[in-house]
Amino acid sequence: MPHIASRYLAEGPRVGIRHFTLQDGPEFTARARESKDLHRPWLFPPDTEDAYAEYAGRLIDDPTKAGFLVCEREGGDIAGFINVNNIVRGGFRCGALGYGAFAHAAGRGLMREGLDLVIGHAFGPLGLHRLEINAQPENLASAALARGAGFRLEGFSPKMIYIDGDWRDHERWALTAEMRA
């Protein structure tokens, strides 16, 4: 798939992270369509150009959000995405992470590497102190990614987030800047 070149905000051995652009729509939506079996029933990323434009526009324009594409350094293909949502400044300095790997990249450790880069960016240039992940208990891959990145399990919230027509239970994971140091 063609890739729109962009400068990475941070790079690891195999991936770099960069912000979403509207030009990423064709590749992102194609990857989302290819990955439906992997994502369902946990995640519903935009899979049409119009839905992507709305989604990416919010990540680009809303100061309470920061969206990152995880891209393979060799070739630049989008491997997945990690968004910092609900950013609160002031004394809280916290954000909630949401993420998804695309099927061609799943199980290769690319998202773990990308998450490490996003965490560094969140605790560095974004100036956050705490990151949270809310994962459905049955989504073992999501919880494993949180655990592998050093997040601690802080609790369980029944019927916390409305997804796919129902209120879903979630485990709450968190990481602070001190834990990372």
Side-chain angles (χ1 to χ4, degrees), residues 58-163:
R58 285 192 307 269
L59 292 168
I60 293 166
D61 295 334
D62 186 340
T64 67
K65 299 179 186 314
F68 302 93
L69 294 173
V70 177
C71 301
E72 295 183 65
R73 286 186 58 200
E74 187 174 319
D77 291 346
I78 299 172
F81 56 95
I82 302 171
N83 301 327
V84 185
N85 300 299
N86 306 325
I87 295 172
V88 179
R89 303 285 179 187
F92 197 39
R93 291 189 292 148
C94 182
L97 296 179
Y99 46 76
F102 290 126
H104 76 284
R108 296 174 43 206
L110 301 176
M111 289 300 290
R112 175 65 188 88
E113 188 178 320
L115 180 56
D116 189 56
L117 296 172
V118 170
I119 292 168
H121 190 79
F123 289 155
L126 284 180
L128 299 180
H129 173 259
R130 177 183 172 89
L131 293 171
E132 300 175 353
I133 294 172
N134 296 301
Q136 294 176 61
E138 299 83 9
N139 188 344
L140 302 179
S142 186
L145 185 59
R147 186 179 305 105
F151 284 72
R152 70 175 169 233
L153 180 61
E154 290 192 333
F156 177 81
S157 294
K159 302 196 178 295
M160 180 181 186
I161 302 174
Y162 193 77
I163 299 172

Side-chain angles (χ1 to χ4, degrees), residues 41-44 134 136 157-170:
W42 326 113
L43 187 61
F44 298 83
N134 296 301
Q136 294 176 61
S157 294
K159 302 196 178 295
M160 180 181 186
I161 302 174
Y162 193 77
I163 299 172
D164 194 29
D166 199 8
W167 290 97
R168 307 291 178 181
D169 299 343
H170 281 74

Side-chain angles (χ1 to χ4, degrees), residues 6-17:
S6 179
R7 183 173 165 207
Y8 294 123
L9 299 165
E11 294 181 45
R14 297 181 299 152
V15 302
I17 59 168

Side-chain angles (χ1 to χ4, degrees), residues 20-38:
F20 280 72
T21 69
L22 295 178
Q23 293 82 7
D24 292 309
E27 181 181 0
F28 188 98
T29 56
R31 297 285 186 203
R33 288 188 300 273
E34 294 167 0
S35 304
K36 282 188 186 220
D37 289 343
L38 175 67

